[in-house]
Amino acid sequence: MFWPGEEGGIRCPFHGWKFDETGQCVEQPAEPSNLKMYERIKIKSYPTFERNGLIFAYLGEGEPPAVPDLDCFVAPESHVFSFKGLWECNWLQALEVGIDPAHASFLHRFLQDEDPKDSYGKQFRDTAANTDIPMTQLLREFPAPEIHVEDTDFGMRLIALRDLGNGNSHVRVTNQVFPCAITIPMSNEMTITQWHVPIDDENCYWVSMFTSFGAPVDKEKMRDQRMEEHTLPDYAPIKNKRNNYGYNRQEQETLTYTGMGMDINVHDQWACESMGAIQDRTKENLGTTDKAIAMHRRKLSKAMAVVVSEEDVSSLPLQIGKEQAREIRGPVSIDVIAPTKDWQGVWREKDADRRNACEWNASL
Ligand SMILES: [Fe+2]
């Protein structure tokens, strides 16, 4: 239920009581004005900040932590497009698909490669940063990545190496921003920072900020692309469990591994929802490709224990002050090809090239 907003606050549609941004009641139109009963009435309010099309609220106790200088927050509004979509599952399984670098080779397999020139606004359709090999071909032909996971000040960095067998490897750098976000490359020009936000235990929204290091974002085009797959006002996906995610057997033979269309969000949605709204984790079999998921669960368990025991939360990731917030930048999210024996520096170099050429201050 949305309460009608008006200058200086919101008004309850039941009797017209108006509340300001601190939660203080400031008007009760049906009560005698001389009683000033409203002065004693206050509802809970939460500090918020707005950035690049989204409103963030702090629901914890005390002062909110500072907002880190992530690219999606530092970039000007012209270079960020925000959108969201509803998934009918717990937020954690929605997040975990994003820190599983192996699944793209099967779940998002395209049986034909599109012209990368037609890739605007789409995931996995561009080439890696320094090659003309389409991402779809790389993922399809090299399904067994070697996965490295590092602890960072914002969460974790994941590096997936696919040995191309010719002395070079494909290096894909993605990130987990603690506790519920990922930052991943979408194309050479854009990254996606995606929060998985709980609605309740069995439903969540993915909320994405598409951030461009190149030209300003064509928001109309990106919105139109996504509105073909969603309905308002709930941003509910048109393909869902009630219509078998649009599964088409003929498409499965010729175009996509899932037969569920060209939008990779639908593939992920099927994977996350079809395991049940709350996955039974007593019956799962984590493999070596799940190492980031295992590490994230350990960090999450530790953080929950700290919160529940009411210990000082300042040691937890991103519980930061203003000075630290200026130091948490990026994070680097990129696809590159590098020599297999010496891949470490190449992704940083290619990312630095992109940042140096950027119209806004994307320096790390
Ligand atoms: Fe995926």
Side-chain angles (χ1 to χ4, degrees):
M1 175 73 203
F2 294 97
W3 286 10
E6 55 184 78
E7 192 63 34
I10 54 174
R11 192 180 293 277
C12 177
F14 200 15
H15 297 96
W17 293 12
K18 182 178 173 182
F19 299 87
D20 72 11
E21 78 281 4
T22 69
Q24 178 62 49
C25 186
V26 290
E27 274 179 36
Q28 291 173 302
E31 293 293 325
S33 57
N34 62 326
L35 290 184
K36 296 198 173 180
M37 175 187 168
Y38 63 86
E39 288 178 354
R40 303 192 305 275
I41 294 170
K42 191 166 186 179
I43 55 172
K44 181 83 182 142
S45 72
Y46 300 96
T48 60
F49 78 94
E50 266 182 77
R51 196 70 55 84
N52 289 334
L54 296 181
I55 301 170
F56 292 79
Y58 176 68
L59 309 187
E61 298 296 325
E63 282 295 301
V67 179
D69 275 355
L70 302 179
D71 294 323
C72 60
F73 294 142
V74 172
E77 202 172 347
S78 53
H79 286 66
V80 181
F81 168 69
S82 298
F83 198 83
K84 70 175 181 178
L86 177 71
W87 284 1
E88 296 175 56
C89 67
N90 181 265
W91 71 273
L92 183 58
Q93 60 213 55
L95 170 81
E96 287 182 347
V97 77
I99 52 174
D100 167 4
H103 80 274
S105 283
F106 284 91
L107 187 69
H108 303 312
R109 180 174 296 191
F110 291 87
L111 307 180
Q112 299 171 22
D113 303 311
E114 290 174 36
D115 185 341
K117 285 203 287 292
D118 300 328
S119 69
Y120 192 83
K122 301 177 198 166
Q123 171 77 308
F124 293 137
R125 312 291 221 292
D126 205 349
T127 58
N130 51 352
T131 171
D132 53 8
I133 309 171
M135 279 298 297
T136 43
Q137 185 188 345
L138 271 169
L139 293 171
R140 188 173 61 235
E141 294 182 1
F142 302 97
E146 178 186 315
I147 300 167
H148 298 248
V149 186
E150 298 162 30
D151 225 349
T152 63
D153 48 8
F154 55 80
M156 300 185 298
R157 178 181 297 119
L158 288 70
I159 298 181
L161 300 171
R162 284 175 163 84
D163 188 342
L164 306 182
N166 59 359
N168 289 322
S169 288
H170 172 242
V171 184
R172 179 171 170 83
V173 184
T174 59
N175 306 275
Q176 199 285 312
V177 181
F178 197 81
C180 67
I182 55 171
T183 299
I184 61 175
M186 184 175 80
S187 61
N188 287 318
E189 188 173 71
M190 272 191 238
T191 60
I192 308 174
T193 299
Q194 178 162 288
W195 278 269
H196 292 282
V197 182
I199 298 168
D200 54 32
D201 284 349
E202 300 191 346
N203 296 278
C204 61
Y205 276 117
W206 59 262
V207 182
S208 282
M209 299 172 88
F210 300 85
T211 305
S212 175
F213 294 92
V217 182
D218 184 343
K219 296 189 189 191
E220 199 177 324
K221 178 165 186 164
M222 289 193 67
R223 187 175 171 80
D224 287 348
Q225 285 172 336
R226 282 151 188 82
M227 284 314 299
E228 280 175 23
E229 308 278 349
H230 295 85
T231 56
L232 298 178
D234 295 331
Y235 292 82
I238 290 166
K239 291 179 181 164
N240 55 60
K241 61 186 172 188
R242 287 165 290 282
N243 56 28
N244 210 18
Y245 300 91
Y247 171 70
N248 178 308
R249 194 184 164 112
Q250 198 182 354
E251 181 202 301
Q252 194 172 32
E253 283 170 6
T254 54
L255 280 179
T256 64
Y257 201 72
T258 58
M260 293 175 185
M262 306 299 279
D263 178 2
I264 71 144
N265 265 309
V266 178
H267 314 163
D268 286 323
Q269 178 199 351
W270 165 80
C272 293
E273 292 181 352
S274 62
M275 61 177 82
I278 301 177
Q279 183 212 353
D280 181 356
R281 293 191 173 85
T282 64
K283 292 181 181 161
E284 66 183 358
N285 301 290
L286 293 183
T288 56
T289 61
D290 297 308
K291 62 167 73 162
I293 291 170
M295 191 195 268
H296 180 255
R297 287 186 190 173
R298 283 195 293 273
K299 287 162 73 96
L300 200 59
S301 298
K302 194 174 146 197
M304 287 190 293
V306 169
V307 172
V308 167
S309 64
E310 296 182 2
E311 285 170 40
D312 180 12
V313 297
S314 62
S315 63
L316 298 179
L318 293 176
Q319 298 302 305
I320 48 177
K322 280 195 176 127
E323 272 175 36
Q324 278 174 294
R326 302 293 78 82
E327 286 162 19
I328 297 182
R329 307 181 73 88
V332 177
S333 309
I334 197 163
D335 285 291
V336 293
I337 305 289
T340 300
K341 286 201 175 117
D342 186 24
W343 56 269
Q344 297 276 6
V346 178
W347 59 272
R348 288 188 196 275
E349 272 168 38
K350 293 295 159 198
D351 178 67
D353 291 349
R354 179 165 72 171
R355 288 177 187 277
N356 290 337
C358 186
E359 285 174 22
W360 48 276
N361 180 7
S363 62
L364 293 180

